[in-house]
Structure formats: C-alpha cells, structure tokens
Amino acid sequence: MPELPEVETTVRGLAPVLAGQVISRVVLNRPDLRRPFPDGLGQRLTGARVTALGRRAKYGLIETDRGDTMVFHLGMSGRWRVDPSEALPHDHLLLETGEGRRLALNDPRRFGSVDLVATAQLAAWPVFAGLGPEPLDPAFSAAHLAAAFAGRAAPVKALLLDQRVVAGLGNIYVCEALHMAGIAPARPAGRIGATRLARLVSAIRSVLLAAIDAGGSSLRDYARPDGELGYFSKQWRVYGREGAPCACGAPVSRRADGGRSTFWCAKCQR
C-alpha cells in the first residue's frame, strides 16, 4: 500500500499540472472505487480552479476555489497518470485542465477512494479528526511520543502504526526508522527513554525525507505520476531483507505481526 512518501511524491508530481489550473472536464468511467464517488463530483469539479495541493497522512488533497477539496487515497494499487498516451482498462477517473493536460486515476484493485469535502471542514472530517500529528511537522516530537507512550506496554512498532499517535506512517518506514534508531520493534513503548525517543523522531524524519527524495518505494503497482518507479527500496536497511546481512553483519530477522511482516536486526535493535 502506498505510504506517506508515495503519496507525497504523487502530490508533488500532480502540482505542476494542476496548481492554478481550471478543471475543464471530468469523466467517471465507473460509479465507485472502494466506495461510490461523491454525488455530483463531475459537476462540482468542472469549472473549478485548483488553488492548492497537499497531503494529510496517506491522503492526497486537491483544493479548489469553490470551497471543496478532493481527497484521494491510492488504496493498494492506485496511481495517477499524467498525460497518458492511451486509455488503460482501470483508468476510473479522468481530469482535464483548461490547458489540455490530462490526469487519469488508475486503480486495478479499486481499494482507493475519492471524496469531496468542504475545505473549511477538513480538520473535522471524521477520517481526519482523530489523526495524530504529521511526522514531518514540528508538533511531532520526542515529548509528543513520551506522552503517547506513557504507561503503554504495547510494542513500539504497533503504536507507531496507530494513526492516532502519528499520521501517515506505514509498515515499511516504521521498520526502517526503528532500525536506524536501534530500537527493537517489540520493545514496550512505555519503556523507551527520552534520549532514545529523540533518536527515534530523528530517524523517522530522516527515513521519510530520504524516501520522498527517492520517489518512494515501488511495490507491485505503485509508480509516480510521470510513470517512473520509486527507488527507495534500493536503500532499505531491513525491510524485505530476511536472512540478508544487516550492516553489522548479523542476519535480518522477520516475523508476521497481525498480517504484516516485521523486519529487524536482533543485534542492532534493543
């Protein structure tokens, strides 16, 4: 599933095509993705000018001058295609700008979603209302984690994946950040001291920024809007590397946790 870096990369890829442009045409090639498209989506977007693009957690945001923001989630297999040379079977939503640029939302598995939310109500929208801070924002700090982890016996990895603690982190980048910080994924969160929490915050930011710079990690269907693949997977320390040597020489371990694979180094991470 595309995580924060992939969504951030997607939004940055859409910005040069959409920012400041009028949406001249909207085509829906089916009535739904994971759930139905919003009523009147085409009518409400046609003629609207895109005033800003952004991201919240794993959702992309396309804000318009009509007071609405289109919120999209890429699900398991979604991606935007810029100026496609041909239509593909799973191009479910098409946008065209007044300049004649075209964007296709392609989602073979249809686990993605598109919503239209009043921009002024975004923070209170039920999907966003309970989210924690963005990991790249100043509000995400060692003090925030200390408060969120206080008295908690749950594994630190599980709490970092809890969107109420921090928004947008997913399995790949939590595994990578915990390795960089030298913290075992199963360590009880409430037993991590202030110094190590500061190191963890720094590691999370470093991993995410490196991943964004690399265009994310391409797994299965994900590609950037320009069609290029993200290459952060070439920098993975532990994720997907079961049995391969860690930088310390010890083999990378793997186990399944609630349907997700956890990768770590038993020697480096305590």
Side-chain angles (χ1 to χ4, degrees), residues 46-251:
T46 301
R49 185 176 298 276
V50 175
T51 54
L53 291 96
R55 178 194 53 75
R56 180 68 169 117
K58 301 176 187 178
Y59 292 82
L61 310 175
I62 301 174
E63 183 179 331
T64 75
D65 62 355
R66 291 183 175 172
D68 291 325
T69 293
M70 190 176 88
V71 183
F72 66 85
H73 192 285
L74 297 175
M76 295 291 291
S77 59
R79 65 186 181 99
W80 285 95
R81 303 195 303 130
V82 174
D83 295 330
S85 59
E86 60 179 351
L88 294 181
H90 302 291
D91 288 345
H92 302 310
L93 169 63
L94 303 174
L95 303 179
E96 188 170 318
T97 73
E99 289 187 336
R101 304 294 299 273
R102 290 172 295 117
L103 293 163
L105 179 58
N106 186 278
D107 188 356
R109 301 186 191 181
R110 300 203 313 274
F111 287 152
S113 63
V114 169
D115 293 280
L116 204 56
V117 182
T119 303
Q121 300 299 316
L122 269 178
W125 187 45
V127 176
F128 290 170
L131 291 178
E134 290 286 325
L136 297 177
D137 286 354
F140 180 63
S141 64
H144 167 76
L145 284 185
F149 290 173
R152 303 290 297 274
V156 59
K157 184 194 172 193
L159 291 188
L160 290 175
L161 290 173
D162 186 337
Q163 301 297 291
R164 297 167 297 181
V165 173
V166 54
L169 291 185
N171 195 41
I172 294 173
Y173 301 105
V174 168
C175 286
E176 290 294 294
L178 286 170
H179 180 267
M180 182 180 286
I183 298 172
R187 173 167 286 278
R191 292 174 52 191
I192 303 174
T195 299
R196 301 186 81 197
L197 287 178
R199 193 160 68 233
L200 177 57
V201 168
S202 177
I204 288 170
R205 288 201 174 109
S206 294
V207 166
L208 291 177
L209 289 172
I212 291 168
D213 187 59
S217 299
S218 286
L219 293 174
R220 299 186 179 91
D221 305 288
Y222 170 72
R224 292 146 61 177
D226 60 7
E228 295 295 320
L229 301 180
Y231 57 88
F232 186 68
S233 56
K234 299 183 184 299
Q235 302 177 40
W236 286 346
R237 295 163 167 258
V238 289
Y239 190 85
R241 301 188 63 240
E242 180 184 9
C246 168
C248 73

Side-chain angles (χ1 to χ4, degrees), residues 22-39:
V22 171
I23 299 173
S24 61
R25 184 167 176 255
V26 179
V27 178
L28 302 177
N29 288 326
R30 59 172 300 110
D32 57 7
L33 293 176
R34 178 161 49 92
R35 55 177 178 268
F37 285 116
D39 290 339

